[in-house]
Amino acid sequence: MRAPDWLTARPVAHRGLHDISRGIVENMPGAVQAAIAGNFSIEVDIQLSADGEAMVHHDHALGRLTEATGEVIEKTAAELKAIKFKDTPERMMSLGDLCALVAGRVPLVIEVKSHFGGDRKLVKRMAEVLASYDGPAVGMSFDPDQVLALRELLPSRPRGIVAQWTYEDEYWAKLTQAQRDSMLYLRHGFQTQPHFVAFKVDHLPAPAPWIARNVFGCALLGWTVRTPEQRTRVGQYADQMIFEGFVP
């Protein structure tokens, strides 16, 4: 169940090689182009639009980076592409736009953002887009159900699970205890059958990713590496890093 060697051959730029001090905003075309210029793989996030398009954006809610507010899922792709961002004239891309821009030059690591409601339309659209894309690309998600959807709807592409040691912090409070428990210890692995694990670097080492890597042969990525200490840790316990804030 190991991922292809190209996934771990180069560091992965988290949301592209962004640098807000230079006007390069995460998940925007400039961040993608900067990562390509550095020959880094690119991690991006996709969200579902109201009309079923896969849009490249991290947050469920607009406002942190944009002049507009509201939920991404409540706006059409055309509306999302028209939204102005605070620190760049660039606009939000669809997954198709991203694929056209990258054109296979570096690998894509695509995180499927989930509302944890069992809706698989985003993975379905992702599968449609990637069916005509020849470049290296993998999918991953925190949500085991979305990873299972990747297995079922996109079996030709490697898939991964994004994970951490615990899910008791405020970010995960929206989930039920049963949902949080289902994500612990990669216990869904026999069902989702991931090719790789992306694990929170500060939570390494940990038994579950060690077993996934050393017993089942999964590649192990550490996220998100920002400091020299984290870089040392990921070098000790993982195969590659997902990084931001510096150039390796």
Side-chain angles (χ1 to χ4, degrees):
M1 291 194 293
R2 191 169 180 86
D5 290 342
W6 51 253
L7 178 62
T8 55
R10 291 285 291 158
V12 182
H14 187 236
R15 307 179 195 173
L17 196 62
H18 57 94
D19 182 351
I20 196 66
S21 67
R22 297 193 294 127
I24 304 175
V25 178
E26 65 180 57
N27 281 323
M28 292 282 104
V32 170
Q33 290 167 332
I36 293 170
N39 193 30
F40 297 115
S41 299
I42 304 169
E43 186 268 353
V44 296
D45 309 280
I46 58 172
Q47 300 267 1
L48 187 70
S49 70
D51 53 347
E53 188 56 270
M55 302 300 296
V56 181
H57 191 69
H58 177 269
D59 300 354
H60 292 308
L62 300 165
R64 178 173 64 90
L65 299 172
T66 64
E67 295 181 4
T69 58
E71 297 292 317
V72 171
I73 200 168
E74 295 175 352
K75 298 184 184 297
T76 66
E79 290 171 333
L80 291 167
K81 288 185 177 186
I83 289 172
K84 292 182 179 181
F85 280 68
K86 295 175 181 177
D87 297 294
T88 177
E90 297 180 312
R91 301 299 172 92
M92 194 183 301
M93 296 180 287
S94 68
L95 179 58
D97 296 332
L98 173 68
C99 289
L101 178 60
V102 176
R105 288 176 286 175
V106 297
L108 289 173
V109 180
I110 304 166
E111 182 179 343
V112 178
K113 305 303 286 187
S114 176
H115 292 271
F116 289 84
D119 189 338
R120 297 184 173 187
K121 288 195 287 289
L122 181 53
V123 172
K124 182 175 183 294
R125 179 57 183 156
M126 177 181 172
E128 292 170 350
V129 173
L130 292 185
S132 59
Y133 184 65
D134 294 330
V138 300
M140 64 181 187
S141 182
F142 272 102
D143 185 348
D145 186 65
Q146 297 301 319
V147 182
L148 183 59
L150 289 168
R151 179 187 173 193
E152 295 173 353
L153 299 174
L154 201 57
S156 63
R157 298 280 182 176
R159 61 190 168 273
I161 185 74
V162 192
Q164 54 192 63
W165 177 250
T166 179
Y167 299 91
E168 296 303 321
D169 54 86
E170 184 179 353
Y171 180 84
W172 300 104
K174 62 185 178 182
L175 302 186
T176 66
Q177 189 64 53
Q179 286 176 312
R180 294 195 294 273
D181 289 347
S182 73
M183 298 161 66
L184 290 172
Y185 317 127
L186 307 179
R187 58 181 56 167
H188 51 77
F190 287 107
Q191 183 180 26
T192 55
Q193 296 186 16
H195 299 89
F196 67 95
V197 176
F199 209 79
K200 188 171 184 177
V201 65
D202 289 338
H203 291 178
L204 291 173
W210 187 95
I211 293 170
R213 183 191 191 199
N214 294 286
V215 177
F216 294 101
C218 293
L220 180 58
L221 306 177
W223 61 269
T224 299
V225 174
R226 299 182 176 91
T227 68
E229 292 78 14
Q230 289 173 328
R231 190 170 184 178
T232 298
R233 181 182 293 270
V234 84
Q236 291 175 325
Y237 301 113
D239 299 302
Q240 191 51 270
M241 64 178 169
I242 301 173
F243 73 95
E244 74 173 22
F246 67 98
V247 179

